[in-house]
Amino acid sequence: MTAHALANSLADDGRRRVFAAVVLGATGVREVADRAGLPARDVVTALRRLADAGLVSGADGALAVDAERLRELARVPRPARPAESREEIVLRTFVRDGVLVGLPAQRGRRRTVLEHIAGRSFAPDTAYPERAVDDALRPWCADGGSDHVTLRRYLIDELLLTRERGIYRRV
């Protein structure tokens, strides 16, 4: 059983209440129904599903949480996540759904975010009038993480865009 399957087994409020009643010592259907405040029919269904998941064992009058099974599930190692690069971590932190949620104060991180924005917004060696640059940067600022004028200034300061006579180019 995976953690996801365990979560699904306990996602239903009634099953959680039944499981809690068994954890707290209820050993029969009537006792579980009284403690959980549920009809006996619902308790029987919940107990069957919990037993199928391996969380509860025993029959009516001898119900118990399968503690060994829970320990076994706790020992199953998590699947290893592929290592994220520094850039991926920075971008995940400051850019969500293609929108800038904040501009990093640290220069290295800010440079990473600005390189990402410049690469996604502007083609190299293409001339852009100021209005086109503003139009390209506004969607990045939709969440209020920054404004397009500040973003444009940072792109120029970091030499990711050049400006000459009102025409911008990506370097």
Side-chain angles (χ1 to χ4, degrees):
M1 172 182 279
T2 64
H4 183 70
L6 175 63
N8 280 340
S9 297
L10 295 173
D12 178 68
D13 186 49
R15 283 193 300 261
R16 264 195 321 275
R17 290 167 64 181
V18 168
F19 183 73
V22 174
V23 167
L24 294 173
T27 57
V29 173
R30 287 232 182 264
E31 194 177 355
V32 171
D34 290 342
R35 289 189 182 186
L38 295 170
R41 188 176 93 191
D42 293 347
V43 169
V44 170
T45 301
L47 285 170
R48 187 178 67 248
R49 289 195 178 172
L50 291 170
D52 290 346
L55 298 174
V56 175
S57 61
D60 191 22
L63 293 171
V65 170
D66 192 345
E68 186 56 39
R69 176 76 173 135
L70 286 174
R71 279 190 212 91
E72 178 185 315
L73 289 171
R75 284 190 292 262
V76 173
R78 291 182 182 180
R81 269 200 255 170
E84 289 183 295
S85 69
R86 178 190 162 280
E87 290 80 18
E88 290 171 327
I89 293 169
V90 169
L91 292 174
R92 183 172 36 91
T93 304
F94 294 100
V95 178
R96 294 201 188 104
D97 298 324
V99 177
L100 187 65
V101 294
L103 203 53
Q106 188 180 28
R107 184 175 183 267
R109 290 179 179 176
R110 186 173 55 239
R111 172 81 185 194
T112 299
V113 170
L114 292 170
E115 286 173 352
H116 175 76
I117 291 171
R120 301 268 177 164
S121 302
F122 306 104
D125 297 324
T126 302
Y128 295 94
E130 188 168 311
R131 176 168 282 189
V133 172
D134 290 346
D135 290 344
L137 295 178
R138 275 192 187 97
W140 290 99
C141 304
D143 204 26
S146 187
D147 64 276
H148 69 281
V149 176
T150 302
L151 209 50
R152 185 181 67 214
R153 186 187 69 226
Y154 275 125
L155 288 167
I156 292 167
D157 289 348
E158 292 292 333
L159 302 176
L160 295 168
L161 288 181
T162 60
R163 176 179 57 204
E164 188 175 322
R165 295 187 198 128
I167 300 297
Y168 295 77
R169 293 182 190 276
R170 183 172 144 220
V171 179

